[in-house]
Amino acid sequence: MALVELRNISKIYYVGDEEIRALDDITLDIQSGEFISIIGPSGSGKSTLMHILGCLDSPTKGTIQLDGTLLHNASPAQLAAFRNRKIGFVFQFFNLLPKLNVLQNIELPMVYSSVPARERKERALNALKMVGMDNRAKHRPLQLSGGQQQRAAIARALVNNPRIVFADEPTGNLDSRTGEAILDLFLQLSREGRTIVLVTHDPEIAAVTPRRIEIRDGKIAKTLDPKLAGLETK
Amino acid sequence: MNLWITISIGFKEIWAHKFRSLLTMLGIILGVSSLVAMSALVKGMENGMREALIAIGGLEKVRVEAQEVPAYQEHLADQAVGCTINDVYALQHSAPLVKLITPEIDLYRTTVSRQGKYFNPFVVAGTWPSAVEMNQHVVQYGRMFNDIDDSNARSVCVIGTATRDALFGAPDDIGHEIIPLGDRININGQLFTIIGMFKHYESEQARLERELEKNQPAGTSKGSARSRGHGHSSGGFVFWLKNATIYIPLNTMWIKFRTATGTNNIPDPRLSSLTFKIADINRMDTALQQAHNVLMHTHNQIEDFAFRTMENWSENITAAIKNARLSGGIIAAISLVVGGIGIMNIMFASITERIREIGLRKAIGATTFSIFIQILVESVVIAVIGGLAGLLNSYGLVKLLTALSPTNNAPQITFVAMLVAFAFSAGVGVVAGLLPALKAARLDPIEALRYE
Ligand SMILES: Nc1ncnc2c1ncn2[C@@H]1O[C@H](COP(=O)(O)OP(=O)(O)O)[C@@H](O)[C@H]1O
Ligand SMILES: [Mg+2]
């Protein structure tokens, strides 16, 4: 069974009388351990897809199964628990809390899963080591460069050992060299066995990942090799 | 999510906006401290009232006073006899619920003098020896006059310390206490021998202040004018009045000061007042009815008298205390409400500033409930810190109030008042935090994360 199974997902927004199909009948499987990029122009529905995959949003139509659980049956508290333990998010604008230092920021997901303080610190330090930031634990986010902040954010996404990590334009706010370093970090994490979904509008970045899914106007683009949609195993 | 972590987040949030939080807390601080201070003042008033009540002679005391003949008996007015000694004997024999009776003829606007020193007591009273028990006097030096002094109409008197202070000098001024037994004083031109002196009466507070002063080295006598309780300051008046007592035998009063006129060779036999105590405070109504019946009989069914109970007096004071409590409570409640609105306002501002933070917290696993609790706890933490500061501040406020208007009823801060005020502040925090917490908890994480 796939880690994530999306079946005929649509997301429709109504703005006044206008109907916006942000996602239109998307069917998609993601296996554990995959490194996937979701690519498409701005406004094509990548972020919407990622939010639905990440249990932040629910589809208008269709079903999602995450790690064997059908999400439309889950309560809001269960969804929060999924986000906390099974999913890690990395954002374009890092979203570190400016009042907390790096270590405290990384501890935050564990605070919501009631991990005891000592273990929290230990695991946060380990996650910092993983992203090569263990010498910056006591810094405030604003004392760090963009690349360093994104590394800290990745450490935060990893600290609860999630089943899958979603990164929405993680290099979008970084210069190209720093962006490459972050991509290298994702590649390394992928080699360590993490499941990673990278959302980007940049084909060069998407080229890094073994599997690419192209989205256009809310649909999976037919131009793409169907094998890449993960549906045809042959 | 652990409550301690939530509370510590609240503290950090407040610490990050120290000045803003302080301003927000002001309302709560004022509310709590005025609540505590007001209740302290009221408590002081109650203490003062209790002491004064004891000084006056207790609740079971009833005073019979002459009053105008009621309208429906107007035509009988010239047959009204007034209160006389006959009433006393009648009550003694026919009203079993009446325990102790003291007649009194009062002499107002008197001048008491001795060797060029003058004193104007409020009243000189001609009475029976039982007045000591009736008014809870303590004869510290000498003795009270007795029935023989009375029946012989001897020119003797028993005085209080205020009279002594005025005519012989106060211990504070001359350095030692004069006990003027055997000395003679002049009451409206008649010579009287002092045969007894009462102890000095004062409120518990005045006594404490005086003791304190005694133990201090000489020269630091700030506020000594008031500390002996001789002044006319509001709370001490009852005590001053009691210290200014001058008692002479009833018959002496009658013969020496109620002069016979040409048309009537018997001096006016009417008593100024007649005081009795009833045996059982719980049967006050029955006792009054009994006394009323007896007196109606001796007064030829003309109702030219009225009863004044200490209950009337204490009811007045109780009403005043109730008013003070109510207005104090309203002031405190308004400050607390204003404080609560301030907190609500600041919490709304705070969550608007932190929309992205809330979105992020939700994305990494915060439940709706934990966000709700976090905001609510922050609100309560502000209110509780304000409440604690208010409790500290209330000591200062009480000091300030007593400095502004000195009173003999020392305000007393009670633990219960502090507890109630503190609980109120926490409650205000909860109520003020509800709406902001609900708003924060309901934020859509996607929109919140996109928020600039
Ligand atoms: N809350 C919303 N209300 C209305 N339309 C929305 C909303 N969110 C997204 N959309 C629309 O859905 C489409 C897909 O948006 P999005 O997933 O953010 O695109 P991408 O991330 O690929 O740039 C866009 O046309 C966008 O305008
Ligand atoms: Mg996007």
Side-chain angles (χ1 to χ4, degrees):
Chain A
M1 192 176 54
L3 178 62
V4 183
E5 292 181 2
L6 246 59
R7 292 292 173 268
N8 309 100
I9 290 289
S10 295
K11 180 75 184 180
I12 303 167
Y13 291 110
Y14 297 94
V15 180
D17 290 339
E18 207 181 342
E19 183 188 280
I20 298 169
R21 288 184 169 264
L23 294 177
D24 193 1
D25 199 31
I26 295 223
T27 296
L28 177 68
D29 281 1
I30 298 172
Q31 305 294 332
S32 183
E34 276 193 293
F35 187 15
I36 308 176
S37 59
I38 296 175
I39 181 169
S42 181
S44 55
K46 308 180 295 292
S47 294
T48 308
L49 178 60
M50 191 199 85
H51 292 148
I52 287 174
L53 285 167
C55 302
L56 277 172
D57 204 354
S58 53
T60 315
K61 279 182 216 153
T63 59
I64 323 164
Q65 209 168 344
L66 174 66
D67 209 11
T69 311
L70 271 171
L71 290 189
H72 62 255
N73 290 335
S75 68
Q78 266 175 304
L79 290 178
F82 273 170
R83 291 197 295 270
N84 186 232
R85 285 154 215 241
K86 301 206 173 189
I87 294 164
F89 284 106
V90 178
F91 303 95
Q92 181 177 356
F93 295 103
F94 326 130
N95 280 325
L96 297 167
L97 301 190
K99 281 171 220 146
L100 306 182
N101 66 28
V102 167
L103 198 69
Q104 290 165 328
N105 262 290
I106 294 169
E107 283 184 32
L108 213 51
M110 294 184 285
V111 166
Y112 288 107
S113 44
S114 305
V115 176
R118 280 187 66 175
E119 190 187 336
R120 274 206 311 265
K121 195 166 175 194
E122 212 170 284
R123 278 166 59 181
L125 279 171
N126 276 341
L128 268 181
K129 249 179 225 146
M130 257 189 268
V131 299
M133 286 274 297
D134 39 334
N135 54 347
R136 295 283 190 278
K138 295 289 173 195
H139 285 57
R140 293 283 161 130
L142 292 178
Q143 296 168 328
L144 301 177
S145 71
Q148 287 170 326
Q149 288 189 55
Q150 197 60 301
R151 280 170 189 274
I154 292 169
R156 181 180 63 193
L158 295 175
V159 77
N160 252 353
N161 258 321
R163 303 281 284 133
I164 185 165
V165 174
F166 295 103
D168 194 353
E169 309 267 9
T171 59
N173 210 32
L174 302 174
D175 62 75
S176 55
R177 271 197 48 205
T178 324
E180 270 170 38
I182 294 293
L183 275 184
D184 281 344
L185 179 58
F186 277 119
L187 276 169
Q188 179 202 324
L189 292 171
S190 169
R191 280 195 295 275
E192 288 166 8
R194 304 269 177 190
T195 313
I196 300 168
V197 177
L198 191 85
V199 174
T200 180
H201 66 279
D202 185 350
E204 270 183 53
I205 292 170
V208 172
T209 64
R211 181 179 160 203
R212 288 171 293 280
I213 296 165
E214 193 178 348
I215 304 258
R216 261 176 217 285
D217 299 327
K219 293 189 175 77
I220 293 182
K222 294 293 178 214
T223 52
L224 212 65
D225 181 352
K227 216 194 286 178
L228 287 176
L231 295 171
E232 289 169 36
T233 44
K234 171 165 60 79
Chain B
M1 177 139 158
N2 190 310
L3 185 66
W4 283 116
I5 294 175
T6 319
I7 291 174
S8 76
I9 290 174
F11 271 104
K12 272 181 200 145
E13 211 46 60
I14 288 158
W15 190 243
H17 306 278
K18 290 176 260 315
F19 190 61
R20 184 171 89 177
S21 305
L22 182 71
L23 287 180
T24 310
M25 284 171 198
L26 271 182
I28 299 290
I29 293 175
L30 278 177
V32 165
S33 50
S34 57
L35 197 68
V36 172
M38 284 302 167
S39 87
L41 288 183
V42 168
K43 183 75 184 168
M45 285 167 75
E46 281 174 347
N47 289 348
M49 173 191 153
R50 203 174 313 117
E51 281 180 18
L53 188 63
I54 290 169
I56 277 173
L59 272 179
E60 65 271 36
K61 213 167 100 171
V62 180
R63 210 172 139 95
V64 183
E65 287 178 346
Q67 106 178 328
E68 295 274 309
V69 177
Y72 74 96
Q73 290 180 328
E74 201 78 77
H75 58 290
L76 301 170
D78 56 346
Q79 292 172 42
V81 288
C83 290
T84 64
I85 203 74
N86 288 336
D87 294 335
V88 179
Y89 297 130
L91 284 174
Q92 271 179 341
H93 289 119
S94 316
L97 283 173
V98 170
K99 196 173 67 175
L100 181 72
I101 312 172
T102 310
E104 205 174 300
I105 296 176
D106 294 332
L107 202 58
Y108 293 95
R109 283 191 294 274
T110 44
T111 303
V112 183
S113 63
R114 176 185 169 269
Q115 294 176 1
K117 284 184 175 170
Y118 293 91
F119 178 55
N120 294 98
F122 183 65
V123 59
V124 173
T127 186
W128 280 2
S130 64
V132 169
E133 187 187 344
M134 176 64 74
N135 294 320
Q136 301 193 352
H137 274 294
V138 177
V139 181
Q140 191 173 15
Y141 303 104
R143 61 173 179 93
M144 181 65 177
F145 49 77
N146 53 31
D147 288 337
I148 301 170
D149 295 317
D150 184 39
S151 49
N152 291 348
R154 282 185 185 148
S155 292
V156 292
C157 66
V158 179
I159 63 171
T161 54
T163 314
R164 186 270 319 266
D165 290 351
L167 298 180
F168 296 89
D172 274 357
D173 302 333
I174 56 173
H176 62 96
E177 180 156 22
I178 292 178
I179 299 148
L181 295 183
D183 277 301
R184 291 207 277 180
I185 58 173
N186 203 315
I187 301 176
N188 276 9
Q190 311 264 5
L191 274 179
F192 281 80
T193 306
I194 301 171
I195 58 166
M197 188 171 82
F198 300 118
K199 74 169 219 193
H200 179 67
Y201 306 107
E202 59 196 336
S203 69
E204 190 59 17
Q205 157 141 32
R207 191 182 66 75
L208 289 176
E209 275 176 23
R210 193 163 53 81
E211 305 257 288
L212 203 69
E213 201 143 293
K214 226 196 277 177
N215 297 336
Q216 270 173 3
T220 58
S221 63
K222 59 179 168 97
S224 72
R226 183 168 66 83
S227 61
R228 284 224 50 184
H230 295 195
H232 286 54
S233 65
S234 58
F237 183 64
V238 166
F239 293 96
W240 178 83
L241 213 56
K242 197 160 174 172
N243 284 324
T245 302
I246 300 178
Y247 281 159
I248 63 175
L250 182 70
N251 276 325
T252 315
M253 174 66 87
W254 188 46
I255 288 167
K256 296 219 162 170
F257 296 104
R258 285 273 165 92
T259 42
T261 59
T263 52
N264 186 353
N265 61 357
I266 304 172
D268 181 0
R270 278 176 299 175
L271 301 173
S272 308
S273 74
L274 188 163
T275 313
F276 60 83
K277 272 194 177 165
I278 55 166
D280 180 3
I281 184 83
N282 296 318
R283 298 177 69 189
M284 174 67 96
D285 288 340
T286 323
L288 287 184
Q289 191 57 50
Q290 215 171 60
H292 185 263
N293 291 344
V294 171
L295 291 181
M296 281 303 271
H297 186 73
T298 52
H299 286 238
N300 300 329
Q301 303 302 326
I302 299 171
E303 198 170 359
D304 60 349
F305 60 91
F307 294 130
R308 274 278 293 264
T309 61
M310 290 305 141
E311 254 172 9
N312 298 341
W313 178 81
S314 80
E315 266 165 22
N316 284 346
I317 297 207
T318 312
I321 287 175
K322 221 181 235 167
N323 281 343
R325 188 177 283 157
L326 189 70
S327 48
I330 287 174
I331 291 171
I334 289 175
S335 328
L336 282 175
V337 166
V338 169
I341 293 171
I343 290 183
M344 193 187 285
N345 197 19
I346 220 69
M347 290 317 293
F348 272 126
S350 162
I351 62 171
T352 307
E353 280 167 12
R354 290 190 287 159
I355 283 185
R356 279 178 78 92
E357 171 186 333
I358 292 163
L360 175 90
R361 284 181 185 273
K362 285 194 157 186
I364 62 171
T367 57
T368 311
F369 182 69
S370 64
I371 298 289
F372 179 82
I373 290 295
Q374 183 187 336
I375 302 299
L376 199 63
V377 164
E378 268 173 45
S379 165
V380 172
V381 167
I382 292 185
V384 161
I385 294 177
L388 289 175
L391 291 185
L392 289 181
N393 193 42
S394 61
Y395 280 96
L397 192 63
V398 165
K399 281 240 167 68
L400 185 77
L401 285 176
T402 30
L404 286 180
S405 74
T407 151
N408 277 23
N409 307 324
Q412 188 187 347
I413 294 180
T414 59
F415 180 70
V416 173
M418 292 177 80
L419 207 66
V420 166
F422 184 71
F424 262 112
S425 71
V428 164
V430 171
V431 172
L434 276 179
L435 279 181
L438 211 61
K439 186 183 168 190
R442 282 183 170 170
L443 279 177
D444 175 17
I446 298 167
E447 275 170 34
L449 280 169
R450 211 181 273 146
Y451 185 86
E452 290 302 322

